[in-house]
């Protein structure tokens, strides 16, 4: 995992963008195929966090990478490469903080800093273009709801048949469901109704999770956490989030 072009941490990052209350995203970086040490299982770590608008649409991405040789560093090209470069995609694996801590310690980093400190290593922000929501579906929400929203969360990498089966079981996807989506689910939370469908998109390995929210609660307090929870489930199955868009 090359650190150039990059900015070396630590140095406080300055940003006024709204951040999700969820924890940071952690990734393991596997060695290159030509790595001279065949016993090295993990070569480094990447930590990321999306910045978002008030309605939970992605506006940017911050990241920091760490290797035993280079320490902590930050580069916007790192975030892009994780999602667009095929070679990098195969070497980056979503993980939990607990597993990241274990590998960080094993690689000689000691105690992994907490999230507050890790955010100070985000020195090179990657903006994500946004646009006004497109209107898809009916303009008026159904009776009992005051607003209808549709979100699309895009993911890089691919899912195996076994992973899709696991998602279908976890989400309670009907056995005789439509073939338009690989897996689907629904949830009632905080007075809101959530329904989602996962489908493969594009010509390359990419997936989209389309989430429809029928809002019955006065505020959208349940929307952000639910989108984060769904994203976390797909990260646990190996996908890498790219952005969250809103259609209406």
């Amino acid at each position: 995992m090359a650190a150039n072009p990059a900015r070396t941490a630590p140095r406080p990052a300055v940003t006024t963008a709204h951040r999700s209350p969820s924890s940071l995203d952690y990734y393991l970086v596997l060695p290159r195929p030509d790595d001279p040490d065949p016993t090295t299982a993990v070569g480094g770590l990447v930590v990321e966090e999306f910045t978002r608008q008030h309605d939970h649409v992605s506006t940017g991405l911050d990241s920091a990478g760490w290797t035993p040789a280079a320490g902590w560093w930050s580069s916007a090209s790192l975030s892009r490469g994780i999602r667009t470069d095929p070679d990098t995609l195969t070497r980056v694996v979503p993980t939990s903080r607990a597993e990241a801590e274990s590998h960080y310690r094993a690689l000689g980093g000691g105690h992994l800093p907490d999230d507050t400190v890790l955010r100070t290593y985000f020195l090179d922000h990657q903006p994500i273009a946004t646009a006004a929501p497109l209107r898809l579906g009916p303009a008026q929400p159904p009776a009992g709801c005051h607003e209808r929203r549709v979100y699309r969360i895009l993911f890089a990498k691919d899912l195996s048949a076994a992973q899709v089966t696991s998602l279908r079981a976890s989400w309670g996807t009907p056995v005789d469901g439509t073939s338009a989506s690989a897996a689907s689910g629904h949830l009632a939370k905080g007075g809101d109704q959530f329904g989602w469908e996962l489908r493969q998109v594009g010509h390359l390995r990419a997936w989209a999770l389309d989430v429809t929210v029928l809002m019955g609660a006065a505020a959208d307090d349940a929307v952000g956490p639910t989108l984060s929870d769904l994203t976390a489930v797909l990260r646990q199955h190996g996908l890498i989030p790219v952005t969250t868009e809103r259609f209406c």
Side-chain angles (χ1 to χ4, degrees), residues 131-147:
L134 299 173
R135 175 62 63 182
L136 295 181
Q140 296 299 321
C145 299
H146 64 84
E147 185 178 358

Side-chain angles (χ1 to χ4, degrees), residues 62-74:
D62 290 312
S63 66
W66 179 86
T67 59
W72 286 102
W73 50 275
S74 182

Side-chain angles (χ1 to χ4, degrees), residues 147-151 192-195 211-215 223:
E147 185 178 358
R148 177 182 181 272
R149 297 184 185 179
V150 178
Y151 291 93
D192 301 330
Q193 300 289 327
F194 296 86
V211 184
T212 299
V213 187
L214 301 179
M215 298 182 60
V223 176

Side-chain angles (χ1 to χ4, degrees), residues 155 167 170-171 228-239:
F155 295 87
L167 283 168
S170 175
W171 288 342
S228 295
D229 290 346
L230 291 170
T231 301
V233 168
L234 289 173
R235 286 189 73 255
Q236 292 166 8
H237 284 75
L239 296 185

Side-chain angles (χ1 to χ4, degrees), residues 53 55 130-135 246-248:
Q53 295 180 161
D55 62 351
T130 60
L134 299 173
R135 175 62 63 182
R246 182 177 168 189
F247 291 154
C248 67

